[in-house]
Amino acid sequence: MLILGIESSCDETGIALYDTERGLRAHALHSQIALHAEYGGVVPELASRDHIRRAVPLIRQVLAQADSVLADVDAIAYTEGPGLAGALLVGTGLAHALGVALAVPVLGVHHLEGHLLSPLLSDSPPAFPFVALLVSGGHTQLMQVEGVGRYVTLGDTLDDAAGEAFDKTAKLLGLDYPGGAALSALAEQGDPTRFKLPRPMLHSGDLDFSFSGLKTAVLTLTQKHPDPADRADIAAAFQVAIAEVLTAKSMTALKQTGAKRLVVAGGVGANRQLRAALVAGVAKRGAQVFFPRLEFCTDNGAMIAYAGAMRLLHGGEAAGSFGVRSRWDLQAISAP
Ligand code: KG4
Ligand code: ZN
């Protein structure tokens, strides 16, 4: 079965073709970073308009790459939510129109389920069950994953997501949107021991997170040390604090569930320091950590096509109606 995946929940148009026998056949991405950069953040209306411009040419591109035509497509998976309503509507409208035209099933996919399953697209995928650390621009969650569609939330952020904290802190340090990767590059030139920032909720006894206080602590620190030469040390102090909290809670989640595998997904999973801390943490516990391919850490169509394929293989139902869910709890789609 050949599944066309369409991702349009935020500022990236991602299209992919996944074959349930032959694996990922093609994928293509258009990032809107340049479009939103001058506004310092995503402008929803501009995002929607750009998805409209990019989606059809990208579909043509992946079909050509996979040496396929639309008539070869057996099902269409699209991001139904969560995300920006207008942006989601572009992918949803297109998916349903194609579904009617081709007379094939159309599946609405939860964006975070896409991220959660994205490490399974790698050459050495993890087996179920595993604990997933989902760290994206909008979410920070620890999930227990028993299988496709069987997710239990272990912990969540009470305020800012890890990616959001990276982006807001980057802005404070004068770095351009979206900032996370730039902040991390700056941090690598800094001394992480010069300034000590708080480790929010490290000893809270649960698996929840809170990052907005850390951002405020950075603001206070930058006011005390306004010299641009100090920025790398501040960035390094911030990065080490976030990596330490995410790592400690992930280790506690492994301990609590007895799981031996940790899967990291979402854009912050590209962070080198976090990866190193998690690798060291699991090694101590005799566990393993799995990361998605770097290109599949951030938003992409491949994870949506793959999640759609898994849903189809596991008897998931095609979407009867046409709608988007800008807010949507991942656990709500989980089988009991
Ligand atoms: O998964 P994703 O595309 O976002 C959502 O679905 O929300 O991830 C984007 C987030 C942004 O906040 C970005 O700053 C962050 O991932 N990010 C990073 C790095 N690369 C991307 N954060 C820290 N270090 C990085 N290297
Ligand atoms: Zn995402």
Side-chain angles (χ1 to χ4, degrees):
M1 255 185 323
L2 188 64
I3 289 98
L4 172 69
I6 304 176
E7 154 63 33
S8 72
S9 66
C10 189
D11 56 353
E12 264 129 5
T13 318
I15 306 287
L17 282 168
Y18 183 83
D19 188 314
T20 48
E21 277 92 53
R22 298 168 64 187
L24 186 64
R25 299 292 316 285
H27 67 100
L29 187 81
H30 176 78
S31 163
Q32 302 178 355
I33 287 181
L35 175 71
H36 301 293
E38 65 176 295
Y39 304 97
V42 179
V43 183
E45 178 63 23
L46 294 183
S48 311
R49 293 183 197 188
D50 202 56
H51 288 305
I52 291 173
R53 268 196 297 274
R54 308 290 174 181
V56 172
L58 284 177
I59 290 177
R60 291 209 174 100
Q61 190 180 322
V62 295
L63 285 169
Q65 267 172 34
D67 205 13
S68 301
V69 291
L70 268 182
D72 297 330
V73 171
D74 297 302
I76 297 161
Y78 66 96
T79 306
E80 185 179 348
L84 301 170
L88 288 165
L89 262 174
V90 177
T92 304
L94 186 56
H96 280 267
L98 281 171
V100 170
L102 301 171
V104 297
V106 181
L107 292 119
V109 169
H110 194 295
H111 180 81
L112 293 183
E113 182 176 33
H115 276 304
L116 209 60
L117 300 179
S118 62
L120 299 174
L121 281 163
S122 66
D123 294 333
S124 44
F128 295 113
F130 54 75
V131 164
L133 172 67
L134 250 176
V135 272
S136 69
H139 298 267
T140 302
Q141 288 182 341
L142 276 161
M143 308 285 304
Q144 186 175 355
V145 180
E146 296 292 333
V148 172
R150 292 170 60 207
Y151 315 121
V152 178
T153 306
L154 302 169
D156 209 336
T157 179
L158 305 180
D159 42 57
D160 292 353
E164 195 179 355
F166 263 97
D167 294 340
K168 288 179 176 170
T169 303
K171 209 170 185 174
L172 281 176
L173 295 175
L175 301 168
D176 286 342
Y177 149 89
L183 173 61
S184 146
L186 181 64
E188 285 185 15
Q189 298 159 28
D191 170 6
T193 59
R194 179 171 163 211
F195 301 115
K196 177 92 179 164
L197 287 169
R199 270 64 173 152
M201 296 185 69
L202 187 60
H203 302 295
S204 60
D206 56 26
L207 295 172
D208 290 334
F209 303 92
S210 163
F211 293 120
S212 71
L214 194 50
K215 175 193 64 199
T216 314
V218 170
L219 177 64
T220 314
L221 198 56
T222 50
Q223 284 163 349
K224 254 201 239 160
H225 300 272
D227 186 345
D230 290 326
R231 288 187 327 171
D233 292 342
I234 298 176
F238 167 82
Q239 181 171 259
V240 79
I242 280 225
E244 196 178 311
V245 175
L246 291 172
T247 303
K249 300 249 171 177
S250 301
M251 296 309 119
T252 309
L254 286 178
K255 193 169 162 197
Q256 270 185 20
T257 57
K260 286 282 171 220
R261 285 174 291 269
L262 175 70
V263 160
V264 184
V268 183
N271 187 272
R272 290 232 291 260
Q273 175 146 29
L274 175 64
R275 286 185 172 220
L278 291 170
V279 166
V282 294
K284 267 192 235 154
R285 308 192 55 81
Q288 273 179 292
V289 60
F290 297 79
F291 300 100
R293 282 159 58 176
L294 264 183
E295 61 196 322
F296 298 150
C297 277
T298 44
D299 291 349
N300 63 85
M303 67 182 194
I304 301 303
Y306 182 76
M310 291 304 109
R311 289 250 141 203
L312 270 181
L313 291 179
H314 290 80
E317 282 185 19
S321 63
F322 179 123
V324 297
R325 303 176 200 232
S326 48
R327 298 178 74 86
W328 192 7
D329 179 7
L330 179 56
Q331 197 158 341
I333 64 163
S334 186

